Amino acid sequence: MGEFCLVHLHKSFTGDEFPPDDPTLPVSDYAKLGALKVIDSEPHSGSGSVTGMYVTASDQHEIWFYDAGLHRLERLDLDYLAYLDAVLVTKGTCGWQYLFADVDLNTTEMHTTAVGLNVMLEKFPEQFPEYDYEPLRQRLEARL
């Protein structure tokens, strides 16, 4: 299962797309979450999870994923264009963003996410043979 809802960049930077509020995050993450420009969300599932662009003091753009269910904010090893490619290849599978974060998926907290990603990488190559899922499989193995 999964979902994605890409937000037009113009709306992200000038519209009414606001990141969620999570005061349970550490202070530095809480401030970063509040500064995100939302580029992707999950409005129909109601999960509250979003991906956003963070503009650093030196005008660099970073992509961050906020998992509302796990109260985690993770920087992704992707730029905006790579994010767009990845969301289409993964079809918005729940937690796919963790394949691009510095996380350990071999924990109790991340078990369900890891199982879902394994299923995705088992089934999608058959269903969508036009995509190469091997790089994603390698990323998953590196995080287990």
Side-chain angles (χ1 to χ4, degrees):
M1 219 157 102
E3 173 183 14
F4 65 92
C5 182
L6 299 173
V7 179
H8 190 285
L9 276 182
H10 184 326
K11 186 174 183 181
S12 293
F13 281 84
T14 62
D16 58 356
E17 290 290 323
F18 298 103
D21 186 41
D22 186 347
T24 68
L25 291 174
V27 174
S28 62
D29 285 349
Y30 182 70
K32 189 162 286 162
L33 178 63
L36 288 182
K37 305 300 183 186
V38 176
I39 61 170
D40 186 11
S41 65
E42 300 175 359
H44 299 290
S45 70
S47 74
S49 296
V50 300
T51 303
M53 190 178 295
Y54 177 75
V55 181
T56 68
S58 61
D59 286 333
Q60 298 297 311
H61 297 87
E62 301 172 348
I63 306 296
W64 289 76
F65 172 62
Y66 169 69
D67 184 332
L70 297 178
H71 302 277
R72 296 178 68 117
L73 182 65
E74 301 288 344
R75 182 173 179 191
L76 303 184
D77 183 25
L78 293 169
D79 61 18
Y80 180 69
L81 293 177
Y83 184 88
L84 295 178
D85 288 340
V87 75
L88 295 176
V89 170
T90 62
K91 315 296 185 250
T93 297
C94 291
W96 72 265
Q97 295 91 338
Y98 286 116
L99 295 172
F100 296 91
D102 185 18
V103 297
D104 180 3
L105 293 175
N106 197 23
T107 65
T108 302
E109 176 185 51
M110 301 300 287
H111 176 76
T112 302
T113 300
V115 168
L117 293 173
N118 268 310
V119 170
M120 174 191 76
L121 292 171
E122 179 182 307
K123 301 295 182 182
F124 280 16
E126 298 167 9
Q127 299 297 316
F128 308 102
E130 65 274 20
Y131 295 107
D132 179 11
Y133 286 92
E134 188 56 31
L136 296 179
R137 184 175 313 287
Q138 291 171 5
R139 285 183 165 277
L140 178 60
E141 289 173 5
R143 284 154 183 78
L144 291 175

